């Protein structure tokens, strides 16, 4: 079994960050990513108070890029970035130092 693992392509991880705290947006982005063979969704996170979400992915290089792109495109189709975000969201991006 170890020999098989050593011959497998390396695995990478990435996170797609979304400027929305809606669970439905993260779920649809995760679903779009999950349709990519060779990549897995390992976590989703939503924070409605700070209007942010993320989808974490693991896979080999090609499928990971494809899945991340699919998740990002789905999120972009659902989030209206032309509307102002809350003051709380803007403050969340300031450094604490």
């Amino acid at each position: 079994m170890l020999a098989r693992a050593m011959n497998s392509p390396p695995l990478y991880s990435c996170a797609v960050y979304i400027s929305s705290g809606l669970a439905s947006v993260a779920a649809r982005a995760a679903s779009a990513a999950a349709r990519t063979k060779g990549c897995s969704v390992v976590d989703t996170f939503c924070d409605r108070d700070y209007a942010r979400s993320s989808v974490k992915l693991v896979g080999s290089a090609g499928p990971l890029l494809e899945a991340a792109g699919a998740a990002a495109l789905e999120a972009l189709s659902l989030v209206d970035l032309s509307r102002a975000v809350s003051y709380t969201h803007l403050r969340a991006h300031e450094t604490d130092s």
Side-chain angles (χ1 to χ4, degrees):
M1 186 133 133
L2 181 58
R4 181 176 180 202
M6 292 175 62
N7 292 328
S8 298
L11 293 178
Y12 301 96
S13 65
C14 78
V16 176
Y17 293 99
I18 304 164
S19 291
S20 170
L22 297 176
S24 60
V25 173
R28 286 187 53 183
S31 178
R35 289 191 286 272
T36 303
K37 186 177 178 177
C39 187
S40 297
V41 176
V42 295
D43 187 42
T44 58
F45 168 82
C46 299
D47 185 339
R48 192 174 183 97
D49 292 333
Y50 288 96
R52 62 184 178 183
S53 302
S54 63
V55 177
K56 280 92 173 179
L57 309 168
V58 172
S60 54
L64 182 63
L65 288 171
E66 183 180 336
L73 286 173
E74 183 66 20
L76 281 171
S77 75
L78 300 169
V79 177
D80 182 359
L81 296 176
S82 67
R83 292 181 32 219
V85 296
S86 69
Y87 178 73
T88 303
H89 182 138
L90 294 173
R91 298 282 303 182
H93 296 288
E94 292 182 358
T95 58
D96 291 332
S97 299

